[in-house]
Amino acid sequence: MSLTSSLPSVMFWSNPLETAAIFLPTLVALVALVSYSIISVVSTSCLVILLAVSLCKLYTHVMVNLLAKLPADPSSDPLHKVYSFDLTISAETVENIISCSVSNLNDILNQLRSLFLLDSLVDSIKFGVLLYFITYIGLMCNLLTVITMAWITLFTFPRLYRDNEMAIDNLVEKMIGQVEDVKSKVTSLVTRTKATPMKSVEKTPEKEE
């Protein structure tokens, strides 16, 4: 099964207008947050949406009632698809989200406890290396920049992967092979480090005799 088979079609730009309507406003808001406060961005965004809806209503009124160039039909309104959106959230949905969030949070906390307490030395070493590289990411950019890059990747990688699936799969397989080699070397090194003190302890009583 392809990695992108479960993703919504909007991420593949199959309908450019629909995808752009979702991708571009969010991207503009994220970029605006770099220079302006979240209060200013939210209020300005709401004003822009209100102005756009007002213009659509004015356009529909002029074209239908004044000029009679469009039929008096709901489809004449550019926003007719928006009216059918169901924005209500059921109690069952909220319960499922909370239950899933609590379960995932508990798993994450247990895993972090295991990593910080060195329950598995190899996993803790890998975790430390990951944290070390994250510090470099923090020096180069902040969280907002990371979120912006993630948003851009979310709407570009699926299409690129679908168009170049074989080449990307081959590259990923090579990278996984190299990572496994490094992992096996680190594991063997840790195993030898653990075994060396045990041998020295076994030899000490013989020397005393």
Side-chain angles (χ1 to χ4, degrees), residues 20-56:
I22 299 174
F23 172 69
L24 292 179
T26 306
L27 180 62
V28 171
L30 289 173
V31 173
L33 286 172
V34 175
S35 302
Y36 303 98
S37 67
I38 187 171
I39 296 176
S40 299
V41 173
V42 171
S43 59
T44 303
S45 301
C46 291
L47 285 174
V48 170
I49 294 173
L50 183 61
L51 178 60
V53 173
S54 301
L55 291 176
C56 289

PDB file of all heavy atoms in Angstrom, residues 20-56:
ATOM      1  N   ALA A  20      -5.760  25.429  -2.857  1.00  0.00           N
ATOM      2  CA  ALA A  20      -5.237  26.773  -2.608  1.00  0.00           C
ATOM      3  C   ALA A  20      -6.067  27.514  -1.562  1.00  0.00           C
ATOM      4  O   ALA A  20      -5.524  28.279  -0.755  1.00  0.00           O
ATOM      5  CB  ALA A  20      -5.207  27.572  -3.906  1.00  0.00           C
ATOM      6  N   ALA A  21      -7.366  27.265  -1.545  1.00  0.00           N
ATOM      7  CA  ALA A  21      -8.234  27.923  -0.568  1.00  0.00           C
ATOM      8  C   ALA A  21      -7.924  27.476   0.856  1.00  0.00           C
ATOM      9  O   ALA A  21      -8.200  28.200   1.817  1.00  0.00           O
ATOM     10  CB  ALA A  21      -9.695  27.632  -0.900  1.00  0.00           C
ATOM     11  N   ILE A  22      -7.367  26.280   1.008  1.00  0.00           N
ATOM     12  CA  ILE A  22      -6.992  25.781   2.334  1.00  0.00           C
ATOM     13  C   ILE A  22      -5.541  26.104   2.649  1.00  0.00           C
ATOM     14  O   ILE A  22      -5.208  26.537   3.761  1.00  0.00           O
ATOM     15  CB  ILE A  22      -7.224  24.258   2.418  1.00  0.00           C
ATOM     16  CG1 ILE A  22      -8.701  23.937   2.206  1.00  0.00           C
ATOM     17  CG2 ILE A  22      -6.732  23.701   3.745  1.00  0.00           C
ATOM     18  CD1 ILE A  22      -8.990  22.452   2.121  1.00  0.00           C
ATOM     19  N   PHE A  23      -4.663  25.931   1.680  1.00  0.00           N
ATOM     20  CA  PHE A  23      -3.227  26.053   1.899  1.00  0.00           C
ATOM     21  C   PHE A  23      -2.774  27.512   2.060  1.00  0.00           C
ATOM     22  O   PHE A  23      -2.069  27.852   3.017  1.00  0.00           O
ATOM     23  CB  PHE A  23      -2.481  25.391   0.743  1.00  0.00           C
ATOM     24  CG  PHE A  23      -1.002  25.611   0.755  1.00  0.00           C
ATOM     25  CD1 PHE A  23      -0.212  25.031   1.734  1.00  0.00           C
ATOM     26  CD2 PHE A  23      -0.393  26.404  -0.213  1.00  0.00           C
ATOM     27  CE1 PHE A  23       1.161  25.239   1.752  1.00  0.00           C
ATOM     28  CE2 PHE A  23       0.968  26.610  -0.207  1.00  0.00           C
ATOM     29  CZ  PHE A  23       1.745  26.030   0.774  1.00  0.00           C
ATOM     30  N   LEU A  24      -3.175  28.384   1.147  1.00  0.00           N
ATOM     31  CA  LEU A  24      -2.648  29.746   1.123  1.00  0.00           C
ATOM     32  C   LEU A  24      -3.076  30.596   2.327  1.00  0.00           C
ATOM     33  O   LEU A  24      -2.229  31.270   2.926  1.00  0.00           O
ATOM     34  CB  LEU A  24      -3.049  30.434  -0.186  1.00  0.00           C
ATOM     35  CG  LEU A  24      -2.380  29.869  -1.447  1.00  0.00           C
ATOM     36  CD1 LEU A  24      -2.874  30.600  -2.686  1.00  0.00           C
ATOM     37  CD2 LEU A  24      -0.867  29.985  -1.337  1.00  0.00           C
ATOM     38  N   PRO A  25      -4.366  30.612   2.728  1.00  0.00           N
ATOM     39  CA  PRO A  25      -4.718  31.437   3.900  1.00  0.00           C
ATOM     40  C   PRO A  25      -3.966  31.040   5.163  1.00  0.00           C
ATOM     41  O   PRO A  25      -3.519  31.915   5.928  1.00  0.00           O
ATOM     42  CB  PRO A  25      -6.231  31.205   4.047  1.00  0.00           C
ATOM     43  CG  PRO A  25      -6.694  30.814   2.694  1.00  0.00           C
ATOM     44  CD  PRO A  25      -5.570  30.016   2.125  1.00  0.00           C
ATOM     45  N   THR A  26      -3.823  29.743   5.392  1.00  0.00           N
ATOM     46  CA  THR A  26      -3.087  29.292   6.575  1.00  0.00           C
ATOM     47  C   THR A  26      -1.619  29.673   6.490  1.00  0.00           C
ATOM     48  O   THR A  26      -1.014  30.098   7.485  1.00  0.00           O
ATOM     49  CB  THR A  26      -3.224  27.770   6.738  1.00  0.00           C
ATOM     50  OG1 THR A  26      -4.608  27.420   6.750  1.00  0.00           O
ATOM     51  CG2 THR A  26      -2.568  27.298   8.017  1.00  0.00           C
ATOM     52  N   LEU A  27      -1.039  29.553   5.293  1.00  0.00           N
ATOM     53  CA  LEU A  27       0.358  29.927   5.111  1.00  0.00           C
ATOM     54  C   LEU A  27       0.557  31.419   5.344  1.00  0.00           C
ATOM     55  O   LEU A  27       1.526  31.836   5.998  1.00  0.00           O
ATOM     56  CB  LEU A  27       0.819  29.543   3.700  1.00  0.00           C
ATOM     57  CG  LEU A  27       2.270  29.882   3.354  1.00  0.00           C
ATOM     58  CD1 LEU A  27       3.233  29.137   4.272  1.00  0.00           C
ATOM     59  CD2 LEU A  27       2.564  29.552   1.889  1.00  0.00           C
ATOM     60  N   VAL A  28      -0.358  32.232   4.834  1.00  0.00           N
ATOM     61  CA  VAL A  28      -0.263  33.686   5.041  1.00  0.00           C
ATOM     62  C   VAL A  28      -0.374  34.019   6.529  1.00  0.00           C
ATOM     63  O   VAL A  28       0.360  34.876   7.041  1.00  0.00           O
ATOM     64  CB  VAL A  28      -1.353  34.409   4.227  1.00  0.00           C
ATOM     65  CG1 VAL A  28      -1.418  35.883   4.610  1.00  0.00           C
ATOM     66  CG2 VAL A  28      -1.099  34.268   2.734  1.00  0.00           C
ATOM     67  N   ALA A  29      -1.283  33.344   7.237  1.00  0.00           N
ATOM     68  CA  ALA A  29      -1.440  33.594   8.666  1.00  0.00           C
ATOM     69  C   ALA A  29      -0.182  33.208   9.440  1.00  0.00           C
ATOM     70  O   ALA A  29       0.254  33.932  10.352  1.00  0.00           O
ATOM     71  CB  ALA A  29      -2.642  32.809   9.189  1.00  0.00           C
ATOM     72  N   LEU A  30       0.442  32.084   9.087  1.00  0.00           N
ATOM     73  CA  LEU A  30       1.666  31.664   9.769  1.00  0.00           C
ATOM     74  C   LEU A  30       2.810  32.644   9.509  1.00  0.00           C
ATOM     75  O   LEU A  30       3.584  32.961  10.427  1.00  0.00           O
ATOM     76  CB  LEU A  30       2.055  30.258   9.298  1.00  0.00           C
ATOM     77  CG  LEU A  30       1.152  29.113   9.768  1.00  0.00           C
ATOM     78  CD1 LEU A  30       1.540  27.810   9.084  1.00  0.00           C
ATOM     79  CD2 LEU A  30       1.219  28.957  11.277  1.00  0.00           C
ATOM     80  N   VAL A  31       2.917  33.107   8.278  1.00  0.00           N
ATOM     81  CA  VAL A  31       3.971  34.082   7.953  1.00  0.00           C
ATOM     82  C   VAL A  31       3.704  35.404   8.671  1.00  0.00           C
ATOM     83  O   VAL A  31       4.634  36.062   9.153  1.00  0.00           O
ATOM     84  CB  VAL A  31       4.052  34.287   6.424  1.00  0.00           C
ATOM     85  CG1 VAL A  31       5.015  35.413   6.080  1.00  0.00           C
ATOM     86  CG2 VAL A  31       4.484  32.994   5.741  1.00  0.00           C
ATOM     87  N   ALA A  32       2.428  35.813   8.760  1.00  0.00           N
ATOM     88  CA  ALA A  32       2.091  37.066   9.440  1.00  0.00           C
ATOM     89  C   ALA A  32       2.422  37.005  10.923  1.00  0.00           C
ATOM     90  O   ALA A  32       2.780  38.019  11.539  1.00  0.00           O
ATOM     91  CB  ALA A  32       0.615  37.381   9.233  1.00  0.00           C
ATOM     92  N   LEU A  33       2.308  35.818  11.522  1.00  0.00           N
ATOM     93  CA  LEU A  33       2.608  35.674  12.946  1.00  0.00           C
ATOM     94  C   LEU A  33       4.075  35.932  13.271  1.00  0.00           C
ATOM     95  O   LEU A  33       4.423  36.172  14.426  1.00  0.00           O
ATOM     96  CB  LEU A  33       2.219  34.267  13.423  1.00  0.00           C
ATOM     97  CG  LEU A  33       0.724  34.005  13.587  1.00  0.00           C
ATOM     98  CD1 LEU A  33       0.475  32.535  13.876  1.00  0.00           C
ATOM     99  CD2 LEU A  33       0.157  34.861  14.719  1.00  0.00           C
ATOM    100  N   VAL A  34       4.931  35.890  12.252  1.00  0.00           N
ATOM    101  CA  VAL A  34       6.345  36.178  12.474  1.00  0.00           C
ATOM    102  C   VAL A  34       6.539  37.641  12.855  1.00  0.00           C
ATOM    103  O   VAL A  34       7.403  37.978  13.679  1.00  0.00           O
ATOM    104  CB  VAL A  34       7.163  35.831  11.213  1.00  0.00           C
ATOM    105  CG1 VAL A  34       8.620  36.228  11.381  1.00  0.00           C
ATOM    106  CG2 VAL A  34       7.050  34.352  10.892  1.00  0.00           C
ATOM    107  N   SER A  35       5.714  38.529  12.275  1.00  0.00           N
ATOM    108  CA  SER A  35       5.894  39.966  12.494  1.00  0.00           C
ATOM    109  C   SER A  35       4.823  40.595  13.378  1.00  0.00           C
ATOM    110  O   SER A  35       5.042  41.673  13.927  1.00  0.00           O
ATOM    111  CB  SER A  35       5.916  40.700  11.143  1.00  0.00           C
ATOM    112  OG  SER A  35       6.939  40.202  10.304  1.00  0.00           O
ATOM    113  N   TYR A  36       3.670  39.944  13.497  1.00  0.00           N
ATOM    114  CA  TYR A  36       2.561  40.545  14.238  1.00  0.00           C
ATOM    115  C   TYR A  36       2.088  39.591  15.332  1.00  0.00           C
ATOM    116  O   TYR A  36       2.337  38.389  15.287  1.00  0.00           O
ATOM    117  CB  TYR A  36       1.401  40.879  13.298  1.00  0.00           C
ATOM    118  CG  TYR A  36       1.792  41.801  12.165  1.00  0.00           C
ATOM    119  CD1 TYR A  36       2.088  41.275  10.897  1.00  0.00           C
ATOM    120  CD2 TYR A  36       1.875  43.172  12.348  1.00  0.00           C
ATOM    121  CE1 TYR A  36       2.456  42.115   9.851  1.00  0.00           C
ATOM    122  CE2 TYR A  36       2.236  44.012  11.305  1.00  0.00           C
ATOM    123  CZ  TYR A  36       2.535  43.477  10.059  1.00  0.00           C
ATOM    124  OH  TYR A  36       2.894  44.300   9.032  1.00  0.00           O
ATOM    125  N   SER A  37       1.365  40.143  16.306  1.00  0.00           N
ATOM    126  CA  SER A  37       0.848  39.334  17.398  1.00  0.00           C
ATOM    127  C   SER A  37      -0.313  38.476  16.912  1.00  0.00           C
ATOM    128  O   SER A  37      -0.956  38.779  15.904  1.00  0.00           O
ATOM    129  CB  SER A  37       0.387  40.226  18.552  1.00  0.00           C
ATOM    130  OG  SER A  37      -0.742  40.997  18.162  1.00  0.00           O
ATOM    131  N   ILE A  38      -0.603  37.423  17.667  1.00  0.00           N
ATOM    132  CA  ILE A  38      -1.676  36.515  17.277  1.00  0.00           C
ATOM    133  C   ILE A  38      -3.037  37.212  17.333  1.00  0.00           C
ATOM    134  O   ILE A  38      -3.936  36.906  16.545  1.00  0.00           O
ATOM    135  CB  ILE A  38      -1.658  35.253  18.179  1.00  0.00           C
ATOM    136  CG1 ILE A  38      -2.657  34.214  17.663  1.00  0.00           C
ATOM    137  CG2 ILE A  38      -1.949  35.613  19.623  1.00  0.00           C
ATOM    138  CD1 ILE A  38      -2.539  32.881  18.370  1.00  0.00           C
ATOM    139  N   ILE A  39      -3.183  38.206  18.235  1.00  0.00           N
ATOM    140  CA  ILE A  39      -4.442  38.942  18.311  1.00  0.00           C
ATOM    141  C   ILE A  39      -4.668  39.736  17.028  1.00  0.00           C
ATOM    142  O   ILE A  39      -5.775  39.750  16.473  1.00  0.00           O
ATOM    143  CB  ILE A  39      -4.443  39.870  19.544  1.00  0.00           C
ATOM    144  CG1 ILE A  39      -4.364  39.040  20.825  1.00  0.00           C
ATOM    145  CG2 ILE A  39      -5.680  40.757  19.565  1.00  0.00           C
ATOM    146  CD1 ILE A  39      -4.259  39.872  22.086  1.00  0.00           C
ATOM    147  N   SER A  40      -3.610  40.403  16.555  1.00  0.00           N
ATOM    148  CA  SER A  40      -3.733  41.173  15.320  1.00  0.00           C
ATOM    149  C   SER A  40      -4.021  40.279  14.123  1.00  0.00           C
ATOM    150  O   SER A  40      -4.848  40.607  13.271  1.00  0.00           O
ATOM    151  CB  SER A  40      -2.445  41.967  15.080  1.00  0.00           C
ATOM    152  OG  SER A  40      -2.200  42.881  16.130  1.00  0.00           O
ATOM    153  N   VAL A  41      -3.352  39.131  14.073  1.00  0.00           N
ATOM    154  CA  VAL A  41      -3.544  38.216  12.944  1.00  0.00           C
ATOM    155  C   VAL A  41      -4.962  37.653  12.930  1.00  0.00           C
ATOM    156  O   VAL A  41      -5.622  37.596  11.885  1.00  0.00           O
ATOM    157  CB  VAL A  41      -2.503  37.084  12.987  1.00  0.00           C
ATOM    158  CG1 VAL A  41      -2.801  36.033  11.922  1.00  0.00           C
ATOM    159  CG2 VAL A  41      -1.100  37.645  12.791  1.00  0.00           C
ATOM    160  N   VAL A  42      -5.461  37.240  14.108  1.00  0.00           N
ATOM    161  CA  VAL A  42      -6.811  36.670  14.186  1.00  0.00           C
ATOM    162  C   VAL A  42      -7.862  37.708  13.829  1.00  0.00           C
ATOM    163  O   VAL A  42      -8.789  37.449  13.039  1.00  0.00           O
ATOM    164  CB  VAL A  42      -7.069  36.090  15.590  1.00  0.00           C
ATOM    165  CG1 VAL A  42      -8.534  35.703  15.746  1.00  0.00           C
ATOM    166  CG2 VAL A  42      -6.172  34.880  15.834  1.00  0.00           C
ATOM    167  N   SER A  43      -7.744  38.914  14.391  1.00  0.00           N
ATOM    168  CA  SER A  43      -8.735  39.955  14.110  1.00  0.00           C
ATOM    169  C   SER A  43      -8.700  40.377  12.645  1.00  0.00           C
ATOM    170  O   SER A  43      -9.756  40.559  12.015  1.00  0.00           O
ATOM    171  CB  SER A  43      -8.498  41.165  15.007  1.00  0.00           C
ATOM    172  OG  SER A  43      -7.190  41.696  14.817  1.00  0.00           O
ATOM    173  N   THR A  44      -7.507  40.520  12.073  1.00  0.00           N
ATOM    174  CA  THR A  44      -7.401  40.892  10.663  1.00  0.00           C
ATOM    175  C   THR A  44      -7.954  39.803   9.762  1.00  0.00           C
ATOM    176  O   THR A  44      -8.644  40.088   8.770  1.00  0.00           O
ATOM    177  CB  THR A  44      -5.931  41.174  10.296  1.00  0.00           C
ATOM    178  OG1 THR A  44      -5.410  42.193  11.153  1.00  0.00           O
ATOM    179  CG2 THR A  44      -5.801  41.620   8.853  1.00  0.00           C
ATOM    180  N   SER A  45      -7.678  38.541  10.104  1.00  0.00           N
ATOM    181  CA  SER A  45      -8.201  37.424   9.311  1.00  0.00           C
ATOM    182  C   SER A  45      -9.726  37.404   9.333  1.00  0.00           C
ATOM    183  O   SER A  45     -10.373  37.192   8.299  1.00  0.00           O
ATOM    184  CB  SER A  45      -7.646  36.103   9.835  1.00  0.00           C
ATOM    185  OG  SER A  45      -6.241  36.071   9.780  1.00  0.00           O
ATOM    186  N   CYS A  46     -10.302  37.633  10.502  1.00  0.00           N
ATOM    187  CA  CYS A  46     -11.770  37.659  10.603  1.00  0.00           C
ATOM    188  C   CYS A  46     -12.362  38.811   9.799  1.00  0.00           C
ATOM    189  O   CYS A  46     -13.418  38.658   9.157  1.00  0.00           O
ATOM    190  CB  CYS A  46     -12.188  37.779  12.070  1.00  0.00           C
ATOM    191  SG  CYS A  46     -11.825  36.305  13.055  1.00  0.00           S
ATOM    192  N   LEU A  47     -11.698  39.963   9.815  1.00  0.00           N
ATOM    193  CA  LEU A  47     -12.169  41.095   9.013  1.00  0.00           C
ATOM    194  C   LEU A  47     -12.105  40.788   7.523  1.00  0.00           C
ATOM    195  O   LEU A  47     -13.015  41.143   6.763  1.00  0.00           O
ATOM    196  CB  LEU A  47     -11.336  42.340   9.332  1.00  0.00           C
ATOM    197  CG  LEU A  47     -11.617  43.034  10.665  1.00  0.00           C
ATOM    198  CD1 LEU A  47     -10.610  44.151  10.911  1.00  0.00           C
ATOM    199  CD2 LEU A  47     -13.039  43.587  10.673  1.00  0.00           C
ATOM    200  N   VAL A  48     -11.038  40.130   7.094  1.00  0.00           N
ATOM    201  CA  VAL A  48     -10.910  39.761   5.673  1.00  0.00           C
ATOM    202  C   VAL A  48     -12.005  38.780   5.272  1.00  0.00           C
ATOM    203  O   VAL A  48     -12.613  38.905   4.201  1.00  0.00           O
ATOM    204  CB  VAL A  48      -9.515  39.167   5.409  1.00  0.00           C
ATOM    205  CG1 VAL A  48      -9.445  38.562   4.012  1.00  0.00           C
ATOM    206  CG2 VAL A  48      -8.445  40.234   5.571  1.00  0.00           C
ATOM    207  N   ILE A  49     -12.276  37.789   6.133  1.00  0.00           N
ATOM    208  CA  ILE A  49     -13.350  36.826   5.838  1.00  0.00           C
ATOM    209  C   ILE A  49     -14.699  37.530   5.768  1.00  0.00           C
ATOM    210  O   ILE A  49     -15.514  37.279   4.860  1.00  0.00           O
ATOM    211  CB  ILE A  49     -13.369  35.718   6.909  1.00  0.00           C
ATOM    212  CG1 ILE A  49     -12.090  34.883   6.822  1.00  0.00           C
ATOM    213  CG2 ILE A  49     -14.594  34.822   6.734  1.00  0.00           C
ATOM    214  CD1 ILE A  49     -11.943  33.871   7.942  1.00  0.00           C
ATOM    215  N   LEU A  50     -14.949  38.437   6.718  1.00  0.00           N
ATOM    216  CA  LEU A  50     -16.214  39.182   6.722  1.00  0.00           C
ATOM    217  C   LEU A  50     -16.360  40.032   5.466  1.00  0.00           C
ATOM    218  O   LEU A  50     -17.448  40.096   4.868  1.00  0.00           O
ATOM    219  CB  LEU A  50     -16.275  40.057   7.974  1.00  0.00           C
ATOM    220  CG  LEU A  50     -17.569  40.856   8.186  1.00  0.00           C
ATOM    221  CD1 LEU A  50     -18.767  39.910   8.309  1.00  0.00           C
ATOM    222  CD2 LEU A  50     -17.446  41.733   9.424  1.00  0.00           C
ATOM    223  N   LEU A  51     -15.277  40.665   5.057  1.00  0.00           N
ATOM    224  CA  LEU A  51     -15.315  41.481   3.839  1.00  0.00           C
ATOM    225  C   LEU A  51     -15.557  40.616   2.609  1.00  0.00           C
ATOM    226  O   LEU A  51     -16.336  40.985   1.719  1.00  0.00           O
ATOM    227  CB  LEU A  51     -13.999  42.249   3.693  1.00  0.00           C
ATOM    228  CG  LEU A  51     -13.852  43.128   2.442  1.00  0.00           C
ATOM    229  CD1 LEU A  51     -14.946  44.200   2.414  1.00  0.00           C
ATOM    230  CD2 LEU A  51     -12.465  43.755   2.390  1.00  0.00           C
ATOM    231  N   ALA A  52     -14.908  39.442   2.553  1.00  0.00           N
ATOM    232  CA  ALA A  52     -15.086  38.555   1.402  1.00  0.00           C
ATOM    233  C   ALA A  52     -16.526  38.053   1.307  1.00  0.00           C
ATOM    234  O   ALA A  52     -17.110  38.009   0.218  1.00  0.00           O
ATOM    235  CB  ALA A  52     -14.117  37.377   1.504  1.00  0.00           C
ATOM    236  N   VAL A  53     -17.119  37.695   2.433  1.00  0.00           N
ATOM    237  CA  VAL A  53     -18.513  37.237   2.429  1.00  0.00           C
ATOM    238  C   VAL A  53     -19.447  38.368   2.002  1.00  0.00           C
ATOM    239  O   VAL A  53     -20.405  38.153   1.235  1.00  0.00           O
ATOM    240  CB  VAL A  53     -18.893  36.704   3.825  1.00  0.00           C
ATOM    241  CG1 VAL A  53     -20.388  36.393   3.888  1.00  0.00           C
ATOM    242  CG2 VAL A  53     -18.085  35.452   4.152  1.00  0.00           C
ATOM    243  N   SER A  54     -19.182  39.580   2.488  1.00  0.00           N
ATOM    244  CA  SER A  54     -20.011  40.728   2.110  1.00  0.00           C
ATOM    245  C   SER A  54     -19.936  40.986   0.613  1.00  0.00           C
ATOM    246  O   SER A  54     -20.967  41.267  -0.036  1.00  0.00           O
ATOM    247  CB  SER A  54     -19.565  41.970   2.884  1.00  0.00           C
ATOM    248  OG  SER A  54     -19.666  41.761   4.271  1.00  0.00           O
ATOM    249  N   LEU A  55     -18.752  40.879   0.033  1.00  0.00           N
ATOM    250  CA  LEU A  55     -18.603  41.084  -1.405  1.00  0.00           C
ATOM    251  C   LEU A  55     -19.344  39.999  -2.195  1.00  0.00           C
ATOM    252  O   LEU A  55     -19.949  40.288  -3.237  1.00  0.00           O
ATOM    253  CB  LEU A  55     -17.119  41.109  -1.780  1.00  0.00           C
ATOM    254  CG  LEU A  55     -16.319  42.330  -1.290  1.00  0.00           C
ATOM    255  CD1 LEU A  55     -14.840  42.167  -1.645  1.00  0.00           C
ATOM    256  CD2 LEU A  55     -16.873  43.613  -1.900  1.00  0.00           C
ATOM    257  N   CYS A  56     -19.282  38.747  -1.702  1.00  0.00           N
ATOM    258  CA  CYS A  56     -20.009  37.666  -2.383  1.00  0.00           C
ATOM    259  C   CYS A  56     -21.513  37.903  -2.326  1.00  0.00           C
ATOM    260  O   CYS A  56     -22.225  37.688  -3.319  1.00  0.00           O
ATOM    261  CB  CYS A  56     -19.656  36.322  -1.740  1.00  0.00           C
ATOM    262  SG  CYS A  56     -17.989  35.739  -2.079  1.00  0.00           S
TER     263      CYS A  56
END
